[in-house]
Amino acid sequence: ATADRSWLFFYIFGQLLVHQIKRAVLSILLNIAVGVGKTTVADKEGILCIARGSAMETVAIFLEILLIP
């Protein structure tokens, strides 16, 4: 019975990871767009740092996927 339900766990876990990747990638794109519209260097740098954080989040998710046994 446990083996029959293990696929469900991996399916749900996979769907959650896909959703998180999509959210993080969209955040990267939107933050870059916002950063381009800023008029001061300090504002641009701040927004682009947020975009970089989202990029690092995306990398971490992919590493988690690759390291799952």
Side-chain angles (χ1 to χ4, degrees):
T2 304
D4 295 337
R5 293 185 183 179
S6 64
W7 69 269
L8 183 59
F9 168 78
F10 288 108
Y11 175 78
I12 292 171
F13 184 69
Q15 291 299 311
L16 291 172
L17 286 176
V18 167
H19 175 74
Q20 189 67 13
I21 289 168
K22 287 180 179 180
R23 188 205 59 74
V25 168
L26 182 60
S27 178
I28 295 165
L29 296 173
L30 294 177
N31 280 312
I32 290 171
V34 169
V36 168
K38 295 296 181 179
T39 56
T40 68
V41 172
D43 285 345
K44 287 182 188 221
E45 287 177 350
I47 295 296
L48 293 178
C49 282
I50 294 170
R52 185 174 189 268
S54 295
M56 294 293 96
E57 178 184 356
T58 306
V59 169
I61 293 168
F62 279 115
L63 288 175
E64 179 66 25
I65 290 169
L66 294 174
L67 297 177
I68 292 175

